[in-house]
Amino acid sequence: MAANSSYSIVEYFGGDDGYRCGYCKNEKGNFSHGMWSHAMTVQDYQDLIDRGWRRSGKYVYKPILNKTCCPQYTIRCDPVKFQPSKSHKKILKKMIKFLSKGELPKGPGESGGPMDSVCEESGAREPSIKMPKSAITDIQKEALECPAIIVVKRNEADTTPTGSELPRKDPGSVLDRRTTPAPKPGIGSDPNRPPCRKAKDLRKERRHQKEQLKHSIVGVSATLTTSSPPSTPTNQPKALEDFLTETFADNSSHCLEVRLVAVSFEDPQFTASYEQSVALYARYQMAIHGDDPSACGESEFRRFLCDSPLEAKYSADGPEMGYGSFHQQYWLDGQIVAVGVIDILPTCVSSVYLYYHPDFASLSLGSYSALREIAFTRKLHKQSPKLSHYYLGFYIHSCPKMRYKGQYRPSDLLCPETYVWVPIEQCLPHLESSSYARFNQNLDEGDAQVLKDVGRILVLHRRTVMPYTVYSRKRKGSSDETEVQEFASLVGQNCAERILLYRA
């Protein structure tokens, strides 16, 4: 039986001996299993990333979480239920202001974004890239931009600030001497003013007024409900799409266009913008990550961000552009200023990498592109309901710079032992006490795809596909069953019966 393009074909390398961690800088602290993918169907890759695998170019790797110094957990966001946070809205408004008025924010902004540091997360065959010191999470950024304030609420029935309910100080106190003028000699209290009352009585009275107002509002609301047709609430939070589809005047300063381009040298849009993309990638790597020019040339760009094992596929119930690897190009006034590399898979959009023009770092393009990709996933979900998640790569709790991915809520982390998704809120307490954790607390549950029959693993040998039982009888020399079993246990029984394991 000859191999054809409907198969995924991989060459398994096994586990490595440890290499430099891009997060804690441990020279021998990062461990992973790896394989080279000569071809990969989108369904097989979907199943692999749901077991903790991830690709860097054609190299597919799986961190050994209970051994590596900075465990990397697969994270996904539910875009349908996603609501932008306060810090997300700030980033969106910052972009709107820049496009409409041309005002570029001062400061470096945040360098973090979806998979900005994918090279650090990649396998031993990939270069380690230094995280910029200026990287800052959205939460830290919000804390820096928002000074502490005291919110003073006003009572619906009384316009006096609640601060006035504080007990009055003794006239002889230091506070009163600083804030109130002393009475003039010979003048007593104003007979026209009401007598002083205790603060406790004032608070009781105001609470009573609030209750009365509340009941009156409920009564009016009930009347309106029974007598008037239902109306659309006007206080709904502004949707993500409302920020992204903001209309501008004809005299706006800039024009931003986002184009989706298939990663294929047969695509005219991709080839026409290829040289500009290569130049932008090199500029980003040198400025943001401090790469040497020799480490970010055209060959590195092609191998890392253009060579994809995923085979393009079109389905009647899938998105209109099909499945596969794509570049989302951000064109500002006719020039590419950022490119988000994504994989569109049967049930998700997976963020691979982002690079951008360093001059626009203050626009927080990492977070902005993530919000764009979440909105894009929502759009695809309407075309193909099963495509319902946005994968941000790996969440590294032990590295504070990489915790920003947990801010896109609701989100889940993948349990490293049972491969089930667990809400991140349930995972964080475990990660606070230990860098490695099993998130599924049902100890009776295990891996549903655990290896059951090594003989059913498919092998590609001398251009022929065969079950491992047939191959093992033909094989000469020492047995490789231990390595084959390890491979199958990592990819799961279903993938092991579909993916062709190359054997020399």
Side-chain angles (χ1 to χ4, degrees):
M1 178 179 177
N4 58 59
S5 59
S6 63
Y7 286 102
S8 298
I9 305 173
V10 302
E11 190 172 355
Y12 180 62
F13 298 139
D16 53 50
D17 297 326
Y19 54 97
R20 187 174 188 269
C21 175
Y23 306 106
C24 68
K25 312 307 178 186
N26 188 331
E27 291 298 330
K28 287 286 185 179
N30 213 339
F31 297 86
S32 67
H33 296 281
M35 57 189 179
W36 187 263
S37 177
H38 297 275
M40 182 73 67
T41 67
V42 290
Q43 184 59 60
D44 284 342
Y45 185 59
Q46 176 72 70
D47 291 343
L48 286 177
I49 63 174
D50 284 338
R51 291 183 65 84
W53 290 84
R54 187 161 181 80
R55 77 174 185 88
S56 175
K58 289 188 174 183
Y59 181 71
V60 187
Y61 62 100
K62 184 180 191 299
I64 305 174
L65 300 190
N66 59 357
K67 188 177 180 181
T68 191
C69 54
C70 297
Q72 305 162 42
Y73 300 92
T74 303
I75 182 172
R76 72 178 187 181
C77 168
D78 184 344
V80 178
K81 298 179 181 179
F82 172 80
Q83 285 291 342
S85 66
K86 184 177 180 181
S87 60
H88 293 151
K89 291 177 182 178
K90 283 184 178 181
I91 292 169
L92 293 167
K93 291 175 181 178
K94 184 164 55 175
M95 177 62 77
I96 291 171
K97 188 175 182 180
F98 168 71
L99 295 176
S100 60
K101 300 181 180 180
E103 297 180 12
L104 195 63
K106 295 180 180 180
E110 118 277 68
S111 299
M115 297 313 299
D116 265 9
S117 303
V118 71
C119 286
E120 290 179 345
E121 301 174 8
S122 57
R125 284 83 182 170
E126 291 297 328
S128 176
I129 290 183
K130 183 181 179 182
M131 281 289 288
K133 292 182 179 179
S134 60
I136 186 169
T137 64
D138 288 341
I139 289 179
Q140 290 170 326
K141 180 174 180 295
E142 184 175 345
L144 290 173
E145 291 182 352
C146 299
I149 58 174
I150 300 174
V151 179
V152 179
K153 295 183 178 180
R154 292 182 178 271
N155 191 309
E156 292 90 338
D158 191 340
T159 59
T160 306
T162 56
S164 64
E165 298 174 8
L166 295 173
R168 299 189 183 210
K169 301 293 182 181
D170 181 79
S173 69
V174 175
L175 178 62
D176 272 36
R177 287 201 300 271
R178 288 176 181 174
T179 57
T180 57
K184 295 180 180 180
I187 300 179
S189 60
D190 186 353
N192 296 321
R193 291 183 60 185
C196 293
R197 298 169 59 190
K198 292 184 178 180
K200 183 177 180 181
D201 295 334
L202 290 172
R203 286 196 295 272
K204 284 183 178 179
E205 183 178 333
R206 289 197 175 92
R207 276 199 298 269
H208 180 66
Q209 290 174 348
K210 282 184 179 180
E211 288 295 324
Q212 286 184 325
L213 183 63
K214 181 178 178 181
H215 289 308
S216 63
I217 290 175
V218 170
V220 172
S221 176
T223 305
L224 291 173
T225 302
T226 56
S227 61
S228 304
S231 60
T232 305
T234 58
N235 59 344
Q236 288 284 355
K238 195 171 182 180
L240 174 60
E241 289 77 6
D242 294 335
F243 289 98
L244 299 176
T245 57
E246 186 91 13
T247 56
F248 302 104
D250 294 336
N251 60 347
S252 59
S253 299
H254 299 288
C255 176
L256 178 67
E257 179 187 1
V258 182
R259 302 177 189 174
L260 184 71
V261 180
V263 180
S264 170
F265 287 95
E266 297 178 0
D267 187 294
Q269 276 190 300
F270 181 77
T271 54
S273 59
Y274 181 74
E275 290 186 4
Q276 192 177 161
S277 292
V278 172
L280 179 63
Y281 168 76
R283 189 167 188 172
Y284 168 81
Q285 293 294 139
M286 289 186 289
I288 302 299
H289 293 299
D291 274 13
D292 187 88
S294 61
C296 49
E298 191 270 341
S299 60
E300 286 75 22
F301 173 77
R302 180 187 285 244
R303 174 183 58 81
F304 178 34
L305 299 177
C306 300
D307 289 346
S308 170
L310 301 185
E311 297 183 347
K313 179 184 177 182
Y314 295 89
S315 174
D317 61 348
E320 59 185 8
M321 73 289 298
Y323 303 111
S325 298
F326 296 83
H327 283 187
Q328 268 198 331
Q329 300 175 340
Y330 293 76
W331 290 76
L332 181 68
D333 304 330
Q335 297 292 322
I336 301 179
V337 295
V339 177
V341 183
I342 61 173
D343 292 330
I344 300 179
L345 303 173
T347 64
C348 77
V349 169
S350 175
S351 179
V352 178
Y353 200 69
L354 172 82
Y355 56 97
Y356 54 82
H357 198 297
D359 289 353
F360 299 98
S362 61
L363 288 173
S364 306
L365 292 175
S367 296
Y368 180 78
S369 67
L371 296 170
R372 276 275 183 182
E373 288 169 8
I374 288 173
F376 177 64
T377 308
R378 281 181 171 179
K379 179 181 177 182
L380 298 188
H381 174 69
K382 293 179 180 178
Q383 301 174 12
S384 178
K386 63 181 181 180
L387 203 161
S388 56
H389 284 95
Y390 172 63
Y391 286 45
L392 294 96
F394 288 135
Y395 174 82
I396 303 100
H397 190 78
S398 56
C399 178
K401 291 178 182 177
M402 300 302 290
R403 291 184 185 180
Y404 72 91
K405 295 184 180 184
Q407 297 173 28
Y408 299 88
R409 304 286 180 94
S411 57
D412 308 308
L413 296 183
L414 186 68
C415 177
E417 297 182 11
T418 63
Y419 302 109
V420 297
W421 294 99
V422 180
I424 193 170
E425 294 85 357
Q426 298 178 24
C427 303
L428 294 181
H430 301 293
L431 294 176
E432 286 294 333
S433 58
S434 174
S435 61
Y436 173 78
R438 171 190 166 116
F439 301 137
N440 185 353
Q441 296 305 296
N442 186 346
L443 300 181
D444 294 330
E445 289 187 13
D447 179 7
Q449 290 295 317
V450 67
L451 178 65
K452 300 179 182 68
D453 185 359
V454 68
R456 294 173 61 87
I457 298 172
L458 286 183
V459 170
L460 177 64
H461 177 61
R462 293 183 178 179
R463 302 179 65 83
T464 304
V465 177
M466 63 189 75
Y468 181 72
T469 51
V470 176
Y471 163 76
S472 60
R473 290 196 296 266
K474 292 183 177 183
R475 176 182 171 84
K476 297 178 181 180
S478 60
S479 173
D480 63 350
E481 185 171 335
T482 301
E483 181 181 289
V484 173
Q485 284 183 332
E486 180 182 69
F487 160 79
S489 66
L490 293 171
V491 302
Q493 183 74 41
N494 286 351
C495 280
E497 294 180 15
R498 295 197 310 258
I499 297 176
L500 304 185
L501 177 62
Y502 175 76
R503 299 277 91 183

